[in-house]
Amino acid sequence: MGTNAAAKADIFFALGDETRLRLVGRLSAQGSQSIARLTEGTDVTRQAITKHLHVLADAGVVRSLRDGRESLWELQPRRLEEAR
């Protein structure tokens, strides 16, 4: 499998998990959010949300931005368009 195909496979792997897909949906609908906000209303721990966000970040689907002491997570729409 070529490098381009492997990069595309990473996106589908990242989006193939129900929790990660829900995170993408929340970021898409509500914009940039902290881990604390992404955890609200779920039965998933902050540590688990963080791990899922890192999988999405490794695939280029989201990125983390610093806002003072807090990290905000946002979508990278270009990568989602590539997958589409």
Side-chain angles (χ1 to χ4, degrees), residues 2-3 9 14 20 22-23 32 36-37 45 49 55 62 77 81:
T3 304
R20 290 192 289 268
R22 253 192 322 243
L23 289 170
S32 300
R37 282 198 56 212
T45 66
I49 293 290
V55 171
V62 299
E81 281 300 315

Side-chain angles (χ1 to χ4, degrees), residues 1-81:
M1 185 173 356
T3 304
N4 193 27
K8 289 179 183 175
D10 288 347
I11 293 170
F12 291 110
F13 170 78
L15 296 174
D17 178 86
E18 184 179 332
T19 300
R20 290 192 289 268
L21 198 52
R22 253 192 322 243
L23 289 170
V24 168
R26 286 185 71 172
L27 291 171
S28 177
Q30 301 170 8
S32 300
Q33 295 184 53
S34 67
I35 291 172
R37 282 198 56 212
L38 288 167
T39 305
E40 287 175 5
T42 71
D43 59 351
V44 183
T45 66
R46 287 184 186 190
Q47 183 179 14
I49 293 290
T50 300
K51 287 181 182 182
H52 284 295
L53 287 168
H54 283 285
V55 171
L56 290 167
D58 288 346
V61 177
V62 299
R63 71 177 178 162
S64 174
L65 304 168
R66 293 298 277 173
D67 183 20
R69 292 179 23 200
E70 192 170 51
S71 289
L72 296 177
W73 290 85
E74 70 178 11
L75 282 181
Q76 295 294 285
R78 181 180 63 49
R79 290 294 284 166
L80 292 175
E81 281 300 315

